[in-house]
Amino acid sequence: MQKAVSNSLLLFFLLIFSCPTILGQSTSEKKSLISILKHLEKKHDIRFSYATNEIDDIHILTPNENFKLEESLKYLSNKTSFNYIKINKRYITVQNKKNTVLKCGKIFDSNTNLALEAAEVTFSNSSKTTFTNKEGLFYFPSNQYSGLIIISFLGYQDVIINSKEFKNDCVPIFIFEEASLLEQVFIKLFFTKGIQKNLDGSFKLNTNNIGLVPGQTENDVFQIIQALPGIESIDESISNINIRGGTQDENLILWDGIKMYQNGHFFGLISAFNPDLTKDVRVYKNGTHARFGESVSGIVDMKSDNTIANEIKGGIGVNLINASAFLSIPVTKNLGLQVSGRSSINNIIETGVYNSYSNKIFQDTEILSLLNEASTLSVSADEDFSFYDLSAKVLWDFSEKDKVRVNFLNIDNSLDFIETLNETSQSKTSNLNQQSIASGVSWEHLWTDKITTNLLGYSSYYLLNSLNQDIFTEQTQMQENKVLETGIKLDASIAFSDKFNLQTGYHLSEVGIENTQDINIPGFSSREKEVLQTHVLYGNSTYKPFSDNTIINAGLRINYYSSFDKIIPEPRLSIHQKLGNGFAVETLGEFKSQTTTQRIDFQSDFLGVVKRRWTLSNNKDIPIIRSKQASLGFVYNKNNWLINLEGFLKKVKGITTSNQGFQNQFQFEKSIGNYSVKGVEFVLNKKSESLSTWFSYTYLKNDYDFAELTPSKFPNNLDIKHSATLASSYQINRFKVALGINWHHGKPFTTPNEDNEIININGENSINYNEPNSDNLPDYFRINISAEYLWSLSSKIDLKLNAALLNVLDRTNSINIRHALNSNDIGETRISQVEEVSLGFSPNVSLQFLFN
């Protein structure tokens, strides 16, 4: 009996002490929920996302140490008023059960019906992004996220779906593979969010959700790409982008496949392309896809939004220079309309930024010199400047396999300069107009899952004209530069297998360029017109012999110029080889050519504001420009560290003294030559969840070779030997800020000989120059700051505030120096030095209301 009692007591005590274990909890004291979550984070190498103020005062018994992660989450869900939702393998969000109605979606491959893990899900009305789990599932609280949801996955077409379509059940979403293999991304975040480096060596900018670069007020494409190594503007002008030592006219600028001959507003200080509808931008420095021609330097390929909106969305905004608006309208399920416009606001208010920009653009022009002279003469002078752009796009998906797009773009800059004699009230008006009109119709057809074709017919028109009237001499000078390009492009993409892809096509274009000049005193008139028709066949293949470890892009472009009966082949090559452990090597090479260039006849042309005019090759004194380039790069990309070292060699032949814009002893010489560039680009980038810091450095040696000039070899006008940037971009929730320091070696210029500055040649005085480009301007140095904040005013309306401080230290940087002859008060000839300086301290603010 006593033994039975003892056994019963023993069993009783065992049950008492094992009860907490059976129930899944310990007998220890209650602990705060925060401490329990931190313990689980350390134990399972995970991260919880929660609002501290909601869980700060909650204390519960800890879950059993033997529990697996899923068991611990289930225990916490039962013991608290929160759901614990796995966003991906590492991140878990904590959501209040009472205040949250969770919506669910599941992503499938449309061909295999298999769930896709790690698909990116972005909520358009916030900066939040999540990813699908192993089952292809993602969750979001309906009371926090509304509007459009963008689903992206590498190698697949983006899908946009309205959050209203998410009901009680988990919504299945099927996404389709991309026909092209060239969209594969090598470095997803290069410097800041939205800038990517692709496996073919190109860079891609996604302006929908891009981070900040220093100095950025809006998503100005041509400002953002200057953050990339090897790309800069030595005179701070958007319309003068220099890519690896090349001039602006050596770049190909495309808008929805149409070549643009103008890319700037305010005569070059801001981009002419509305950032609200410019979605994707591709930038090539070397290894260019064979589809692209007509450039010997870089490619900037811009594409507007190509998706029909699910609901009306748009925005209106204003900064200290211009006001803008855009609108995307779903007319029907298969028909959409996009419109946008911008206009300068200086006719309403002239802000400090406008005045700063005006002083920058009009220095060393007839406008500023006459304004200054008018203050000392009995003449009053005034200028009236304005700009605008309008764009429209019709999107029609008339079947599941057919897409038709109609595009229109109009860009306009206008300047009137009025001089008035105070005594007689007689006045004369000089004016300058710059305009571009582009239009195109494209049809994309999906023949099979592996074959796609696209047909584009387009027209691109450019006009630059000026009327210069002298109020004292009655002289009137009219100058005009016209460009009209029309063409057809047929492109096809064939995905033979996972390892091999081919893109091929035929392009036909006809370019006509006309230059006119008319002067009344003395009577002079000239008109030049050239027309060139070009036929192009190209093929570009992507081959992956060893999966993604080796990517080979090889292409050939064949240009036939019917007017010259001349064929120019252009091979292209890009090889990306992974070496393992985060290391990779890249080899790029290309041959390219172009027939359209810009020249400068006189520094006073077009009122001195836009001195460059387009000309067309005649295969004689204006040859076809041709280039060769090769580069070798090494990349380390691992553990949020990026190191990129790339060396390159580039040679361009067929340039003329006129299109280089010399301001020295070669200003009026007519000669054909070449230039060669060798350089190194280095990038060091450290990234964390919220912060990205980078340092980039470019060494570049750029030299001319003109056989008919003396000396024949001398530094290029764009020979910036050393250039460096140190910058950081920080983002937390809806706030972004960026700070950057830019420094580069001063550009070359030519000085007069101090011992004998003026010489007389055939009875005319001339400047006796030293060796060409033998001196350099002082080093350039500038600090820029940008910030952005996005307020959610309602489920439908956001307010975005941007601010930028350019040249924070208000440093006066010299960007050009030239010399000219004039006379002093007693009629003696002397040399005056004309200096152009950079923008001073320029703060700008942008306010934009976004709705959907």
Side-chain angles (χ1 to χ4, degrees):
M1 184 68 180
Q2 186 177 359
K3 185 177 180 180
V5 172
S6 298
N7 288 339
S8 297
L9 289 173
L10 179 61
L11 179 61
F12 174 77
F13 283 112
L14 285 173
L15 287 172
I16 290 296
F17 286 108
S18 65
C19 187
T21 303
I22 296 173
L23 294 175
Q25 61 189 53
S26 67
T27 58
S28 60
E29 295 182 0
K30 291 183 178 182
K31 293 186 177 180
S32 69
L33 180 57
I34 290 181
S35 65
I36 294 173
L37 295 181
K38 289 182 177 180
H39 174 71
L40 292 176
E41 286 180 337
K42 186 175 182 180
K43 178 181 177 182
H44 298 286
D45 190 24
I46 57 173
R47 292 292 181 270
F48 287 96
S49 174
Y50 51 83
T52 306
N53 60 329
E54 288 187 359
I55 69 173
D56 196 30
D57 297 328
I58 298 176
H59 293 73
I60 60 171
L61 296 175
T62 60
N64 192 304
E65 276 297 314
N66 296 322
F67 275 1
K68 296 180 180 178
L69 176 59
E70 288 75 10
E71 293 173 318
S72 296
L73 296 179
K74 185 176 181 180
Y75 170 82
L76 293 177
S77 182
N78 291 333
K79 295 297 182 181
T80 66
S81 59
F82 298 96
N83 287 317
Y84 301 82
I85 303 163
K86 295 184 71 175
I87 301 301
N88 52 36
K89 294 180 180 179
R90 195 161 187 240
Y91 290 92
I92 300 171
T93 182
V94 181
Q95 302 285 353
N96 196 309
K97 296 176 183 177
K98 295 180 181 179
N99 301 329
T100 302
V101 177
L102 290 176
K103 300 293 185 179
C104 170
K106 188 169 185 178
I107 311 299
F108 296 92
D109 182 305
S110 62
N111 292 324
T112 64
N113 289 328
L114 296 176
L116 294 176
E117 181 184 5
E120 185 179 33
V121 182
T122 304
F123 302 93
S124 63
N125 70 335
S126 74
S127 59
K128 293 293 184 181
T129 297
T130 187
F131 297 88
T132 55
N133 59 19
K134 285 183 179 180
E135 293 76 32
L137 295 167
F138 69 93
Y139 300 88
F140 66 96
S142 60
N143 65 325
Q144 294 185 26
Y145 304 115
S146 60
L148 300 180
I149 298 175
I150 304 167
I151 297 164
S152 305
F153 194 75
L154 186 62
Y156 290 77
Q157 300 176 22
D158 287 356
V159 171
I160 301 177
I161 187 170
N162 197 309
S163 60
K164 294 178 181 177
E165 298 184 26
F166 290 81
K167 306 299 182 183
N168 296 328
D169 297 330
C170 207
V171 177
I173 303 169
F174 295 88
I175 61 176
F176 296 84
E177 289 186 2
E178 288 275 11
S180 170
L181 298 180
L182 294 179
E183 295 295 330
Q184 298 182 70
V185 176
F186 172 43
I187 300 171
K188 190 169 185 179
L189 193 156
F190 194 95
F191 292 167
T192 188
K193 188 174 183 180
I195 303 179
Q196 304 170 344
K197 186 174 183 181
N198 299 314
L199 288 170
D200 63 349
S202 65
F203 291 86
K204 182 178 180 181
L205 278 64
N206 186 340
T207 60
N208 271 358
N209 196 18
I210 199 166
L212 280 183
V213 297
Q216 175 188 345
T217 307
E218 297 176 329
N219 294 337
D220 192 320
V221 169
F222 290 94
Q223 184 178 28
I224 296 172
I225 66 174
Q226 291 182 54
L228 301 176
I231 302 178
E232 61 184 319
S233 174
I234 63 172
D235 64 358
E236 301 181 335
S237 171
I238 292 299
S239 62
N240 190 21
I241 299 295
N242 313 118
I243 300 180
R244 287 185 171 174
T247 56
Q248 164 67 19
D249 60 321
E250 293 175 354
N251 300 323
L252 175 64
I253 309 297
L254 292 173
W255 175 78
D256 279 340
I258 304 171
K259 181 176 178 178
M260 300 301 301
Y261 292 85
Q262 174 188 355
N263 66 312
H265 272 319
F266 218 136
F267 299 113
L269 285 183
I270 62 176
S271 173
F273 304 96
N274 195 320
D276 296 312
L277 291 182
T278 305
K279 181 182 179 182
D280 292 323
V281 181
R282 185 68 61 88
V283 179
Y284 289 89
K285 295 187 292 183
N286 190 13
T288 309
H289 193 286
R291 181 195 304 115
F292 304 113
E294 270 304 303
S295 82
V296 292
S297 282
I299 309 286
V300 182
D301 180 24
M302 297 172 287
K303 293 182 179 179
S304 59
D305 194 345
N306 205 40
T307 306
I308 298 174
N310 288 45
E311 60 182 358
I312 296 176
K313 64 178 181 179
I316 56 174
V318 64
N319 59 35
L320 299 181
I321 296 175
N322 60 259
S324 63
F326 74 96
L327 191 64
S328 294
I329 306 171
V331 181
T332 67
K333 185 178 180 180
N334 299 322
L335 183 65
L337 175 65
Q338 299 171 358
V339 293
S340 72
R342 281 188 300 173
S343 177
S344 55
I345 62 171
N346 57 289
N347 58 335
I348 300 173
I349 180 174
E350 290 192 3
T351 64
V353 177
Y354 171 81
N355 292 327
S356 179
Y357 276 32
S358 294
N359 292 335
K360 166 70 171 61
I361 203 65
F362 294 135
Q363 61 181 324
D364 193 20
T365 67
E366 290 194 13
I367 302 300
L368 194 61
S369 63
L370 290 173
L371 284 171
N372 291 335
E373 289 176 9
S375 62
T376 61
L377 301 173
S378 59
V379 179
S380 60
D382 194 15
E383 51 88 12
D384 182 18
F385 170 73
S386 64
F387 68 81
Y388 70 86
D389 62 73
L390 295 170
S391 66
K393 184 172 185 177
V394 178
L395 306 92
W396 181 29
D397 297 345
F398 67 87
S399 77
E400 292 183 359
K401 295 186 177 182
D402 295 279
K403 297 180 179 180
V404 172
R405 303 292 184 261
V406 181
N407 299 283
F408 174 80
L409 175 65
N410 184 18
I411 303 168
D412 190 273
N413 288 266
S414 180
L415 171 68
D416 290 334
F417 176 69
I418 306 100
E419 295 176 275
T420 304
L421 288 173
N422 295 329
E423 294 181 358
T424 63
S425 298
Q426 178 187 359
S427 65
K428 293 281 188 179
T429 300
S430 300
N431 54 56
L432 176 67
N433 295 99
Q434 187 180 32
Q435 184 183 34
S436 289
I437 300 175
S439 59
V441 180
S442 67
W443 171 35
E444 181 183 302
H445 181 70
L446 180 66
W447 298 90
T448 68
D449 290 342
K450 297 183 180 296
I451 302 176
T452 304
T453 59
N454 189 80
L455 178 64
L456 169 66
Y458 70 93
S459 172
S460 182
Y461 174 74
Y462 171 77
L463 172 66
L464 173 65
N465 64 21
S466 74
L467 179 66
N468 188 354
Q469 300 194 84
D470 192 309
I471 196 169
F472 297 106
T473 66
E474 297 295 323
Q475 184 190 65
T476 299
Q477 180 182 16
M478 188 276 290
Q479 292 178 300
E480 190 172 73
N481 180 214
K482 286 183 182 179
V483 181
L484 176 61
E485 177 177 341
T486 56
I488 297 174
K489 296 182 178 182
L490 176 61
D491 301 293
S493 177
I494 307 170
F496 290 97
S497 66
D498 292 339
K499 290 186 176 182
F500 184 70
N501 169 277
L502 175 67
Q503 289 185 314
T504 185
Y506 166 74
H507 297 177
L508 168 64
S509 67
E510 184 175 272
V511 181
I513 298 181
E514 180 180 325
N515 278 292
T516 304
Q517 184 167 278
D518 197 343
I519 303 175
N520 66 340
I521 303 174
F524 173 79
S525 181
S526 70
R527 180 175 177 266
E528 303 172 359
K529 185 175 182 179
E530 299 283 349
V531 178
L532 180 62
Q533 190 178 85
T534 306
H535 301 263
V536 174
L537 285 174
Y538 81 87
N540 202 96
S541 64
T542 302
Y543 180 51
K544 302 192 299 181
F546 310 110
S547 187
D548 286 337
N549 290 325
T550 305
I551 309 290
I552 302 173
N553 286 282
L556 177 64
R557 180 183 179 91
I558 300 176
N559 305 284
Y560 173 66
Y561 303 103
S562 57
S563 301
F564 310 142
D565 192 23
K566 189 179 184 66
I567 295 176
I568 297 181
E570 299 176 4
R572 316 282 175 82
L573 180 66
S574 165
I575 301 175
H576 180 93
Q577 177 64 57
K578 292 182 180 178
L579 303 177
N581 201 30
F583 289 93
V585 62
E586 292 180 328
T587 301
L588 305 174
E590 65 182 21
F591 284 54
K592 292 200 296 186
S593 65
Q594 70 178 74
T595 58
T596 55
T597 59
Q598 290 180 316
R599 76 169 193 251
I600 298 176
D601 293 330
F602 298 96
Q603 296 298 321
S604 60
D605 282 347
F606 300 99
L607 303 178
V609 179
V610 183
K611 295 172 281 191
R612 290 184 169 271
R613 68 179 80 204
W614 286 100
T615 60
L616 190 61
S617 172
N618 57 19
N619 207 31
K620 296 175 183 176
D621 58 317
I622 306 177
I624 298 173
I625 303 179
R626 303 175 69 172
S627 71
K628 301 176 183 179
Q629 187 179 182
S631 62
L632 177 64
F634 297 91
V635 184
Y636 174 77
N637 184 33
K638 190 176 182 181
N639 299 325
N640 292 321
W641 281 96
L642 167 63
I643 301 174
N644 191 183
L645 179 65
E646 184 174 1
F648 62 91
L649 297 171
K650 175 181 173 183
K651 185 167 185 177
V652 179
K653 65 178 183 178
I655 63 172
T656 66
T657 49
S658 297
N659 80 312
Q660 295 302 301
F662 287 116
Q663 297 178 343
N664 52 21
Q665 58 264 55
F666 301 140
Q667 181 174 353
F668 303 112
E669 296 289 337
K670 303 295 182 183
S671 181
I672 299 172
N674 59 63
Y675 71 86
S676 57
V677 185
K678 56 184 178 181
V680 176
E681 297 168 358
F682 173 74
V683 169
L684 177 64
N685 185 199
K686 178 66 173 78
K687 292 159 285 195
S688 65
E689 186 174 350
S690 302
L691 178 67
S692 178
T693 301
W694 66 90
F695 170 77
S696 66
Y697 167 76
T698 301
Y699 168 79
L700 184 144
K701 191 175 187 303
N702 191 350
D703 293 311
Y704 286 123
D705 187 354
F706 286 91
E708 297 176 354
L709 301 181
T710 303
S712 60
K713 296 182 180 181
F714 52 95
N716 193 296
N717 295 337
L718 303 176
D719 181 37
I720 306 297
K721 282 191 169 54
H722 306 281
S723 178
T725 298
L726 177 62
S728 283
S729 181
Y730 177 75
Q731 178 174 350
I732 180 169
N733 297 326
R734 291 169 170 252
F735 176 71
K736 303 174 185 177
V737 64
L739 169 66
I741 302 172
N742 298 102
W743 169 87
H744 67 68
H745 198 53
K747 66 168 285 191
F749 76 108
T750 309
T751 57
N753 188 313
E754 293 182 357
D755 297 328
N756 186 20
E757 290 187 336
I758 300 175
I759 58 176
N760 190 282
I761 301 176
N762 298 325
E764 292 187 7
N765 289 327
S766 300
I767 299 175
N768 184 25
Y769 285 101
N770 289 316
E771 292 287 305
N773 289 343
S774 56
D775 286 271
N776 290 87
L777 298 176
D779 289 356
Y780 178 96
F781 182 84
R782 189 166 85 164
I783 298 177
N784 298 326
I785 301 176
S786 294
E788 176 183 304
Y789 191 78
L790 186 69
W791 279 277
S792 180
L793 302 181
S794 69
S795 60
K796 291 286 186 181
I797 301 176
D798 288 332
L799 172 62
K800 186 169 75 168
L801 175 65
N802 284 81
L805 303 178
L806 302 179
N807 196 0
V808 174
L809 301 181
D810 197 22
R811 178 184 169 95
T812 300
N813 290 298
S814 178
I815 58 176
N816 189 48
I817 290 179
R818 70 180 181 91
H819 297 84
L821 289 176
N822 58 20
S823 300
N824 59 19
D825 295 338
I826 60 175
E828 294 177 338
T829 302
R830 65 179 183 180
I831 295 177
S832 62
Q833 178 174 290
V834 182
E835 181 180 17
E836 294 179 60
V837 296
S838 63
L839 278 173
F841 174 62
S842 301
N844 197 4
V845 177
S846 170
L847 189 66
Q848 189 175 37
F849 289 91
L850 305 171
F851 60 87
N852 58 53

